[in-house]
Amino acid sequence: MVFLAAAAAQFGRDLDFDLDRVASIVEAAKRAGAGLLVLPDGTLGGYLEDLRGQPGPDELPPALDADDPVFERLAELAGDLVLCLGYRERVGALTYNAAVCLSGAGVHGRHRKVHLAPGERESYASGERFAAFDTPIGRLGMLIDYDKTFPEAARALAADGAILLACLSAWPTSLTDPARRLVKDRQARLFDLYDCARAAENQVVLVSANQTGRSGALTFLGNAKVVGPGGDIRARTWSKAGLAVAEVDLAAEVARSRRVLHHLAELRPAAYHSEPMVDPAGEPAVTQADEPAGAEPEVAEPVVVEP
């Protein structure tokens, strides 16, 4: 059994403030007995202030190299706790919306956001893959924000053996159709829907963190949560800052959920459309520039988790 914690909290451009807040949340998670803590997208430096128009260089979060000393400090702070958090990564002339998973033992894995929402494409390069990795509490995969909108992203991680998904978000309320009450907001509904669907369709445990408060024109909706492999919400923060903490027997619960209906083992890849999608205007919406014409897509072997 392990306690899993997801944070709803506000982070901004001041790195010293952000690190102090991380330390405070880590301490709270440790008091709750957590073995995993997932923090939001933009934990170090905050997120964008608007998704309409191109931000100036002074409006962007600070960019950090992957070997920045701050990650050693965070690993020391985490100790036995497995900690996932988001930041803006610098690689040469490019920057990525990135996440790192670490503990006192060092870095366990990294992820660069693959699916960039409108408004992000002027500020970030796109990541190119989804890969799970081993941690002290089990095999884990990370998704950043808009990544979880795409079922294939979470499915790729589950097919790579992840029994636990960490979703790091800076997910705002609707910009185009704002609601007077958060519970009626379209984006709040979708945020919860995607969390539950990605867990249930892959029969994995999902830990979802999100920003709160305001950043420029954006109002973040919180709603951090822990979701079981049946799509059931075990703990949540609603819109306020706080920790959602739930105790889960990861291997046993995932195995139990797959005892009769095993979604990964029962996939029928040959029956699915594999050509690039076409939008209503007739333009390809997805391209396979790096794949030779006529090549058969690789299909990961189904993963069976023993109790």
Side-chain angles (χ1 to χ4, degrees):
M1 302 288 285
V2 62
F3 283 96
L4 308 174
Q10 185 173 15
F11 296 92
R13 298 289 183 264
D14 187 332
L15 283 178
D16 289 334
F17 172 88
D18 293 338
L19 289 169
D20 287 344
R21 177 151 289 180
V22 170
S24 176
I25 297 173
V26 165
E27 182 59 33
K30 288 182 176 180
R31 288 198 303 268
L36 170 73
L37 170 62
V38 180
L39 294 172
D41 180 17
T43 295
L44 301 180
Y47 183 62
L48 303 179
E49 295 189 344
D50 203 342
L51 295 176
R52 297 163 296 190
Q54 184 172 353
D58 295 337
E59 300 176 70
L60 293 171
L64 303 173
D65 297 328
D67 59 355
D68 191 287
V70 71
F71 297 111
E72 294 182 8
R73 179 178 171 185
L74 288 166
E76 182 179 356
L77 181 67
D80 293 337
L81 180 74
V82 176
L83 177 64
C84 299
L85 57 93
Y87 68 105
R88 181 172 173 236
E89 181 186 19
R90 178 175 51 221
V91 183
L94 300 177
T95 61
Y96 296 89
N97 191 343
V100 62
C101 178
L102 50 78
S103 70
V107 172
H108 301 294
R110 296 181 183 273
H111 175 61
R112 293 170 180 164
K113 185 174 180 179
V114 172
H115 300 100
L116 300 180
E120 293 182 324
R121 298 165 194 162
E122 294 79 19
S123 305
Y124 298 105
S126 177
E128 297 180 348
R129 63 194 294 263
F130 294 95
F133 48 87
D134 294 322
T135 76
I137 61 168
R139 194 159 174 82
L140 182 148
M142 294 190 290
L143 301 169
I144 299 176
D145 206 84
Y146 194 42
D147 279 340
K148 72 180 176 185
T149 302
F150 299 84
E152 298 86 353
R155 176 55 51 84
L157 293 171
D160 196 23
I163 61 172
L164 184 60
L165 299 183
C167 297
L168 301 81
S169 294
W171 198 289
T173 57
S174 177
L175 291 172
T176 58
D177 188 23
R180 300 180 70 177
R181 297 178 59 214
L182 184 61
V183 293
K184 299 290 186 180
D185 187 84
R186 175 178 178 272
Q187 288 301 326
R189 178 177 61 83
L190 290 174
F191 185 79
D192 285 349
L193 176 64
Y194 295 144
D195 282 340
C196 295
R198 298 297 89 89
E201 66 197 9
N202 293 293
Q203 298 168 304
V204 295
V205 176
L206 184 146
V207 184
S208 175
N210 195 24
Q211 292 248 16
T212 58
R214 290 186 62 87
S215 177
L218 304 180
T219 300
F220 300 113
L221 54 85
N223 282 307
K225 64 180 73 63
V226 179
V227 185
D232 52 311
I233 296 175
R234 305 291 179 85
R236 69 185 306 162
T237 65
W238 298 100
S239 61
K240 294 182 179 180
L243 277 178
V245 182
E247 187 178 23
V248 180
D249 189 334
L250 286 169
E253 290 207 28
V254 170
R256 188 181 305 116
S257 72
R258 299 174 178 179
R259 186 174 298 160
V260 177
L261 300 176
H262 192 313
H263 300 168
L264 293 176
E266 292 154 3
L267 286 170
R268 298 288 303 278
Y272 310 141
H273 186 75
S274 60
E275 295 299 318
M277 300 290 289
V278 175
D279 70 15
E283 296 294 330
V286 179
T287 61
Q288 301 287 340
D290 298 328
E291 184 174 290
E296 290 296 325
E298 291 187 11
V299 179
E301 293 294 325
V303 178
V304 179
V305 178
E306 298 295 337

